[in-house]
Amino acid sequence: MKQYPGYTVVRSEDCPEQHGTLTVLTHDVSGATVLLVENEDVNKAFGIGFGTFPSDDTGVFHILEHSVLAGSEKYPVTSPFLQLLKSSMASFLNAMTFPDKTVYPFATPNETDFKNLMDVYLNAVFCPLAMVDKAVFEQEGWHRDADGTVSGVVYNEMQGALAAPDAQLEDALERAMFPDTAYGFVSGGDPASIPALTYEKYQRVYRRHYSADNCCVTLYGKMDMAEKLDFLDREYLSKMPKGTSQPKLTLQSEQPGVCVKIPYYTEKPEADEVQCALAWYTGAFADRERQLGVEILLDALLGTNQSPLKAALLEEKLGADIDVGFDDSTLQPVLELVLRGATEETAEQFAAAVRRAVDGILAEGIPAELLLASLNAAEFASLERPGSLPDGVLDAIHAATGWLHTGDPALLLHTDKLFAALREKLDSGWFNELLRELFAPAPVQVIQVPTLPKKDDENAAPARTDGKLVLDHPLTVTDLGEGSPSAEGVVGTVAGAELLHHPSKGSLYLNLYYDLGGLSEEEVQYLDILTDMLDELDTPRHTARELNTLRSTWLGDSTACIAFWTGRQEGTPCHAKLVLSMSLLERSLEKAIELGGEFLYETKLTGEKAEAAFARVLSQQKLNMEQQFIQMGNQYAMVRAMSHYTVEYALSEACSGVTGYKFLCGLLEQADWAALGKKLEAVREKVLHHAALTISLHGSEAAKQKLEALLPGSVFAEEARGTAKPYTQELTAPVNEAFLIDGGVNYDILAWPQERKPERRVLARVMSYEYLWHNIREVGGAYGTGMLTRAGAEAYYTYRDPHMAESYETFAKGPAELAARSYTEKDLTESIVGTVSEMDKPMKPCAEAKELDRRYFCGITDEMLAADRRALCGVDEAALKAMAADLGKAAEHGTRVAFGSKEAVEAAKELFDRVETL
């Protein structure tokens, strides 16, 4: 066993799930825990996690998370984190506050970058200047402005985060379940309590929790571990002797039967928008077999509208939708069921309805095929690890979680034996007994009732500098390399379709793209509705539940959606596609063709069951969008503003923006489900049997040959298909709009037309991090801000912003300020490195497959990407200043779209042509 000076090796073991070995160590002087995950992943990762247990709602650990990244002893600048965002090649760079821990992870494929980031992160968490500079606390946490109003980055972030009814319901549920422990507090901070946090308490809390003996460090990937451990020991851990005591989490005595009623204040209270949450404790965190069993059980019984428990509850017609939640990362994991779109009367019936439904399932027993499908799906996901987080970042979070609750950072990185053990229990009745145990106690219950808002009653030298971050090994343009060439694809034809093949190993990805160039906007809207319905519909051979079960059993993932991209071909055409995506093991290819065809072609769009599904799903979609308006209004506002300038955004807005929301509301109001079924049938017939089809296979040559043999006899085969063509749509004239939402924070967008020029990405990065970050976030207190440049349009945005009119004024001043600045070679290099590195971020295999397909349709070649890279690397001071000067003219007549509070919109009403309440 390999030894490391300064550390004691606890154990070392093979870990097939991580494709390498795990080594657990403790640091001899400090007592810190370290986990090494050694494998061949070049996207190396680092993470350091601390146990952080709130004792109030002030959000002190959330504020500390922001603060420690705002300057340190070795890097005494105002915002090293911002400067790293600008200039690092990191594929992930962030920090997260959880209910019981704070984790600081990053990932990067570049060795020099890794060393820089590791030093900056360690110096930040162990030597932050925030402990001697109160200005950091006031900027990131809270301060009172001259007019008496409270502001601050975290304060404003949480104003937005807790504005949605979902967030308030979750908060109340946690309080009811954990009245005596850290989990009962809002770890992010409650705006009502944040101003109670003093600078002195903030300092005390940091010193108690940010110690080496209260942390877990993870090193992941292909690197010299001995070198990294030596640096960690020499520069940091050996200087930090163990403390006398560590903060600890305490167990909550369970609270069965507690019932709480809370208001949700809104200007438009509706009697049928009551929500009810029920929650149950699921046992000990350390019992990983049980917790994985709970996850599989909940997916089998509640994963879709057709799953037995959810179907039984929807049949009661107590509300429009039922969601399930399960968090197994806390010391006392919890499952919850949330009833949405209810009335007060039906909400009070929810607990009894769950009891009846569970008893009904137990009387017959859980269908074995449902459990097998959910187990297979969970196991496939554990191997593929979908999502955007790099594998090493996930491991760092899991390591901190396992270490925190059991002392074992490797606990959550082993899953093979758990799946094998649960597979053996499938036929033993174990899952039925688990269901019985979980729902036996009376649930904790919270009912949330929409209510009108209450009426107001009538009656020393700074420790940091504004200088630049000086790294030991600053990155240069030479560190960028030439970029990796795309995997070469081979194009052929089979069964009337175009066949695109990219060789790959491991999981197989099969994506089918139906061209939508010949459709009208309304037809695409109906097609989008259809993709939302498919999971709910029967076929002549299977019920929806049976088909979903078969898909989960044989396929890792299978979804249908619509996608739009702006191409690089002449005229920047919009390519619109209906996409069926399937990920699978190669041996399941025949099943994929069979099940994918049945799912897409044979689902019944008429009849009583289909009509009931239409009403159910559209109601659920409406509720979901209304929550999203409050939580991510910037995305809706951005799409709305850009829809006046590009066909891609116009179509996206028509399907999933405000226009799409109104289209959905219109269908619900008409409630003519028979007519809807006929329209969906017509558009499906037009697309599936007549539109050009491209089938993309990312897999082996043997898989390609097998696919070529399967397709001619499948439903995907057609003798005559049309040719692919761009989707066209007439753009609407720009209009400045504001949409009123609940919550007290705003999302401000200013968009303008702009021909695609790759070098403008450097301008957008400079505007985002050199101007907007300081003026909108640090001074203005918004949680997020930036500039985006897209094919055909550009935009400024703010996110969870306390201001509206002031932010638009700040937007207007930016171009002139950037044009007047001087830029050193170091400034330009940082911005260029950061911009180009976005082109090289490592992707998961599934995402890489879809990106290669997008490049094919959009005509993007390696030569084009190389030219883009040269254009970015060629930006000099004169070019940057010229682009900034031109930006002022382009943005001057841009389109303003805002989602915000009634007060903010009223104060900025002269900026808008139209104000509307959603």
Side-chain angles (χ1 to χ4, degrees), residues 56-75:
D56 55 37
D57 291 321
T58 61
V60 60
F61 293 114
H62 189 186
I63 297 169
L64 282 169
E65 175 222 307
H66 283 244
S67 301
V68 302
L69 295 171
S72 65
E73 289 179 7
K74 185 173 180 180
Y75 303 102

Side-chain angles (χ1 to χ4, degrees), residues 511-795:
N511 300 318
L512 292 88
Y513 299 91
Y514 296 84
D515 187 70
L516 307 181
L519 269 58
S520 67
E521 176 189 297
E522 185 181 68
E523 287 175 319
V524 180
Q525 287 177 311
Y526 278 114
L527 194 64
D528 187 34
I529 294 287
L530 174 64
T531 62
D532 294 328
M533 299 292 176
L534 289 174
D535 283 335
E536 307 290 320
L537 303 174
D538 296 345
T539 73
R541 288 183 278 166
H542 297 102
T543 64
R545 191 178 99 183
E546 289 169 344
L547 184 57
N548 290 337
T549 301
L550 287 168
R551 287 162 56 209
S552 295
T553 302
W554 291 98
L555 308 175
D557 189 35
S558 53
T559 58
C561 65
I562 52 175
F564 327 118
W565 313 293
T566 299
R568 294 281 290 266
Q569 298 94 342
E570 185 177 353
T572 59
C574 175
H575 301 284
K577 307 289 180 182
L578 166 67
V579 189
L580 173 63
S581 298
M582 294 180 281
S583 57
L584 56 143
L585 300 176
E586 189 171 315
R587 63 175 180 264
S588 301
L589 184 56
E590 186 172 354
K591 278 290 185 183
I593 296 300
E594 175 191 330
L595 296 173
E598 184 177 356
F599 173 66
L600 195 59
Y601 281 75
E602 298 180 35
T603 41
K604 297 177 185 177
L605 301 176
T606 57
E608 186 177 332
K609 289 186 71 175
E611 292 176 15
F614 297 159
R616 181 172 62 245
V617 173
L618 290 180
S619 296
Q620 293 170 345
Q621 292 287 87
K622 177 177 180 290
L623 287 172
N624 184 50
M625 291 185 79
E626 288 166 352
Q627 293 273 352
Q628 290 180 337
F629 290 153
I630 299 172
Q631 295 170 330
M632 53 182 71
N634 57 309
Q635 295 185 21
Y636 286 92
M638 180 78 72
V639 170
R640 182 84 170 180
M642 286 188 167
S643 68
H644 303 296
Y645 304 123
T646 78
V647 174
E648 175 188 343
Y649 279 96
L651 187 53
S652 181
E653 212 282 325
C655 292
S656 54
V658 172
T659 300
Y661 171 74
K662 292 178 177 178
F663 177 71
L664 186 154
C665 291
L667 292 175
L668 281 167
E669 189 174 332
Q670 294 163 15
D672 190 345
W673 307 125
L676 175 59
K678 290 177 182 177
K679 288 182 178 177
L680 296 181
E681 275 192 328
V683 73
R684 180 170 69 174
E685 165 70 21
K686 183 174 182 178
V687 171
L688 298 189
H689 295 289
H690 302 283
L693 171 62
T694 297
I695 300 174
S696 170
L697 172 71
H698 298 259
S700 67
E701 180 63 29
K704 173 177 175 284
Q705 294 174 7
K706 186 173 183 179
L707 182 64
E708 288 174 325
L710 290 169
L711 284 172
S714 73
V715 295
F716 301 105
E718 293 286 346
E719 291 185 7
R721 289 186 174 276
T723 56
K725 59 182 179 180
Y727 172 86
T728 58
Q729 179 176 327
E730 189 172 336
L731 301 179
T732 57
V735 57
N736 298 311
E737 299 174 288
F739 296 95
L740 300 181
I741 57 173
D742 294 321
V745 293
N746 312 295
Y747 305 93
D748 310 324
I749 303 295
L750 177 67
W752 58 91
Q754 176 60 53
E755 178 185 349
R756 184 195 172 280
K757 294 179 180 176
E759 59 270 26
R760 293 184 68 84
R761 292 167 61 181
V762 177
L763 171 67
R765 196 169 187 88
V766 173
M767 175 61 77
S768 296
Y769 295 130
E770 298 290 352
Y771 176 77
L772 293 174
W773 182 285
H774 174 69
N775 291 286
I776 298 282
R777 190 181 189 276
E778 294 180 340
V779 176
Y783 182 56
T785 184
M787 174 182 166
L788 297 176
T789 180
R790 296 290 184 261
E794 294 179 335

Side-chain angles (χ1 to χ4, degrees), residues 93-106:
L93 190 72
N94 214 329
M96 305 102 151
T97 304
F98 295 90
D100 51 18
K101 59 185 173 288
T102 307
V103 185
Y104 297 83
F106 68 77

Side-chain angles (χ1 to χ4, degrees), residues 35-52:
L35 175 68
L36 309 182
V37 184
E38 298 178 83
N39 58 26
E40 293 300 305
D41 193 342
V42 296
N43 194 22
K44 298 174 284 291
F46 166 91
I48 182 167
F50 298 88
T52 52

Side-chain angles (χ1 to χ4, degrees), residues 69-344:
L69 295 171
S72 65
E73 289 179 7
K74 185 173 180 180
Y75 303 102
V77 299
T78 53
S79 188
F81 182 67
L82 165 64
Q83 296 194 40
L84 290 171
L85 282 174
K86 291 189 296 184
S87 60
S88 168
M89 295 177 69
S91 56
F92 183 89
L93 190 72
N94 214 329
M96 305 102 151
T97 304
F98 295 90
D100 51 18
K101 59 185 173 288
T102 307
V103 185
Y104 297 83
F106 68 77
T108 178
N110 184 279
E111 175 64 22
T112 301
D113 200 29
F114 187 95
K115 291 177 181 178
N116 288 336
L117 292 170
M118 184 174 170
D119 192 30
V120 172
Y121 264 52
L122 287 167
N123 206 255
V125 297
F126 287 129
C127 314
L129 292 179
M131 292 303 106
V132 294
D133 185 0
K134 189 176 181 182
V136 179
F137 167 75
E138 293 176 338
Q139 172 186 295
E140 299 299 328
W142 75 275
H143 64 272
R144 200 171 296 279
D145 292 328
D147 62 1
T149 58
V150 175
S151 190
V153 173
V154 169
Y155 179 86
N156 294 321
E157 175 192 351
M158 295 311 296
Q159 282 273 98
L162 293 180
D166 272 9
Q168 294 175 24
L169 183 69
E170 185 67 26
D171 175 26
L173 189 64
E174 292 293 330
R175 291 183 191 278
M177 295 205 75
F178 299 100
D180 309 313
T181 76
Y183 293 118
F185 298 107
V186 183
S187 57
D190 184 337
S193 300
I194 288 173
L197 179 65
T198 65
Y199 182 56
E200 291 71 27
K201 180 173 181 181
Y202 159 91
Q203 292 173 305
R204 288 197 306 272
V205 170
Y206 167 81
R207 293 183 181 116
R208 175 156 171 75
H209 290 79
Y210 277 66
S211 59
D213 57 355
N214 187 39
C215 81
C216 175
V217 176
T218 301
L219 293 165
Y220 168 97
K222 186 177 183 179
M223 69 177 91
D224 185 338
M225 293 294 183
E227 176 192 57
K228 305 301 185 295
L229 288 171
D230 176 64
F231 173 81
L232 181 62
D233 166 62
R234 185 179 68 254
E235 298 295 328
Y236 293 98
L237 297 184
S238 63
K239 303 173 184 178
M240 301 175 183
K242 299 174 187 176
T244 55
S245 65
Q246 286 180 258
K248 296 288 185 184
L249 276 170
T250 55
L251 283 169
Q252 173 68 56
S253 58
E254 297 188 3
Q255 307 289 305
V258 169
C259 185
V260 178
K261 185 175 286 189
I262 62 169
Y264 170 65
Y265 296 114
T266 174
E267 296 288 346
K268 296 194 308 174
E270 300 287 348
D272 62 351
E273 291 186 359
V274 174
Q275 299 198 117
C276 176
L278 308 177
W280 294 262
Y281 307 89
T282 65
F285 168 87
D287 188 347
R288 299 317 299 168
E289 183 179 289
R290 180 183 177 88
Q291 300 305 331
L292 180 57
V294 173
E295 178 186 334
I296 290 165
L297 180 68
L298 294 177
D299 182 67
L301 298 182
L302 291 145
T304 73
N305 285 343
Q306 305 305 314
S307 301
L309 182 51
K310 187 169 185 180
L313 292 172
L314 289 172
E315 189 66 27
E316 298 264 0
K317 301 191 184 307
L318 301 178
D321 195 13
I322 294 158
D323 280 349
V324 58
F326 175 50
D327 181 3
D328 67 343
S329 69
T330 60
L331 183 62
Q332 290 173 275
V334 167
L335 76 86
E336 61 187 74
L337 300 180
V338 180
L339 174 69
R340 306 185 189 283
T343 64
E344 281 194 73

Side-chain angles (χ1 to χ4, degrees), residues 335-565:
L335 76 86
E336 61 187 74
L337 300 180
V338 180
L339 174 69
R340 306 185 189 283
T343 64
E344 281 194 73
E345 181 182 0
T346 59
E348 290 171 355
Q349 301 167 22
F350 187 37
V354 173
R355 181 71 267 163
R356 286 195 301 274
V358 168
D359 288 344
I361 291 169
L362 287 171
E364 297 184 9
I366 305 168
E369 68 274 11
L370 288 182
L371 293 170
L372 176 61
S374 293
L375 190 151
N376 285 351
E379 188 168 19
F380 190 94
S382 76
L383 295 172
E384 191 181 35
R385 309 185 85 178
S388 59
L389 286 182
D391 289 351
V393 171
L394 280 172
D395 282 357
I397 296 170
H398 289 329
T401 304
W403 157 78
L404 180 64
H405 298 317
T406 69
D408 182 3
L411 179 69
L412 299 184
L413 276 61
H414 290 292
T415 55
D416 278 5
K417 292 179 181 177
L418 295 178
F419 283 109
L422 289 174
R423 200 172 289 278
E424 291 179 1
K425 288 180 166 64
L426 283 175
D427 299 322
S428 68
W430 185 86
F431 280 94
N432 286 289
E433 188 56 35
L434 177 61
L435 176 62
R436 190 186 315 279
E437 291 176 7
L438 288 174
F439 289 93
V444 174
Q445 180 174 187
V446 177
I447 297 175
Q448 181 185 56
V449 182
T451 308
L452 279 169
K454 296 176 182 177
K455 298 296 182 184
D456 294 334
D457 293 334
E458 292 182 3
N459 296 327
R464 302 175 301 149
T465 74
D466 286 325
K468 294 293 184 180
L469 185 68
V470 179
L471 297 167
D472 291 340
H473 306 284
L475 293 172
T476 67
V477 174
T478 57
D479 290 307
L480 297 173
E482 298 296 320
S484 301
S486 302
E488 289 194 17
V490 177
V491 181
T493 58
V494 61
E498 181 179 54
L499 179 61
L500 178 64
H501 176 228
H502 285 94
S504 67
K505 298 177 182 178
S507 296
L508 183 151
Y509 300 99
L510 183 62
N511 300 318
L512 292 88
Y513 299 91
Y514 296 84
D515 187 70
L516 307 181
L519 269 58
S520 67
E521 176 189 297
E522 185 181 68
E523 287 175 319
V524 180
Q525 287 177 311
Y526 278 114
L527 194 64
D528 187 34
I529 294 287
L530 174 64
T531 62
D532 294 328
M533 299 292 176
L534 289 174
D535 283 335
E536 307 290 320
L537 303 174
D538 296 345
T539 73
R541 288 183 278 166
H542 297 102
T543 64
R545 191 178 99 183
E546 289 169 344
L547 184 57
N548 290 337
T549 301
L550 287 168
R551 287 162 56 209
S552 295
T553 302
W554 291 98
L555 308 175
D557 189 35
S558 53
T559 58
C561 65
I562 52 175
F564 327 118
W565 313 293

